Amino acid sequence: MNTGERNEVLLIAGRSGVGKSTVAWEVSAVLRAAGAAHCLVEGDLMDQVHPAPPDDPDRSAITERNLAAIWANYAALGQRRLIYTNTVSVLEGAMFRRVLGADARIVPALLTADDATARARLTGREIGSQAQAHIRRSAHMARHLDRHAPAETVRVATDGRTVVDIAREVVAATGW
C-alpha cells in the first residue's frame, strides 16, 4: 500500500551484454528477501512495434504511454518503487518524472563492462542474424553512455563479478 511517500525508480542502464536484465532480476530477488515492495519493468519491451508509428519514428512516445499504463496499474496496487531496465534509461529522467511524478526520486545506475566481456556475453546470447550488429551497437552505446550519463549516475562494473555481488551494490545505491 502506498504510504504517501514519493515514488522512486531505479534505472538500470548499460550497453548490450552488460547484464541489465539478469541484474534487475537479482535486485528484485534481494528486495523480495528483504520484504521491500517493488515492481520490475523490462524497458526493452515498451517500444516493440513495427513499423514505428508515423508520428513517433523513434518510438519514444509509445514507450512513455506503455510505461504510464503499466505504472498506473502498479500504483493502483500501492507500489511506489519501480525497477526499470533499458540501455539508455539513465538518459530519460524527464520521462520518468512525467510518468511517476515531478518529485519522483530517480536512482540512475549504469552497469559497465569492457568490450571483450560484452562481446563474449553477446556471442553466447545472440545466435541469430543480428549478433554482429548487437556487438557494434553495444560498443557505440558504451561510449555514448559514458559521455552522457548524468553526474549522479552510480557506475557499477560487471566484469569478473557475480550477479549477486553486482545486485547488492545496486541495491545499496538505492537505500531501499
Side-chain angles (χ1 to χ4, degrees), residues 138-162:
S138 175
H140 169 76
M141 286 311 299
R143 292 186 302 274
H144 180 75
L145 289 164
D146 187 51
R147 283 192 306 271
H148 298 290
E152 68 273 15
T153 301
V154 177
R155 295 169 190 262
V156 180
T158 66
D159 302 282
R161 297 180 65 197
T162 69

Side-chain angles (χ1 to χ4, degrees), residues 96-134:
F96 289 95
R97 291 195 191 290
R98 287 190 299 272
V99 171
L100 275 73
D103 68 338
R105 177 178 174 248
I106 298 174
V107 179
L110 178 60
L111 304 183
T112 65
D114 65 25
D115 288 341
T117 298
R119 186 179 310 105
R121 291 174 181 165
L122 288 170
T123 300
R125 182 182 88 196
E126 301 295 338
I127 59 173
S129 64
Q130 295 300 301
Q132 291 305 311
H134 278 291

Side-chain angles (χ1 to χ4, degrees), residues 42-87:
E42 183 68 52
D44 288 344
L45 302 177
M46 296 293 101
D47 67 353
Q48 295 301 303
V49 58
H50 180 80
D55 61 342
D56 185 20
D58 65 357
R59 298 174 177 88
S60 59
I62 190 64
T63 296
E64 187 167 336
R65 287 197 324 261
N66 286 338
L67 177 60
I70 290 170
W71 178 250
N73 290 328
Y74 285 139
L77 296 174
Q79 290 292 331
R80 66 176 192 82
R81 290 181 176 149
L82 169 64
I83 302 164
Y84 186 90
T85 66
N86 180 265
T87 300

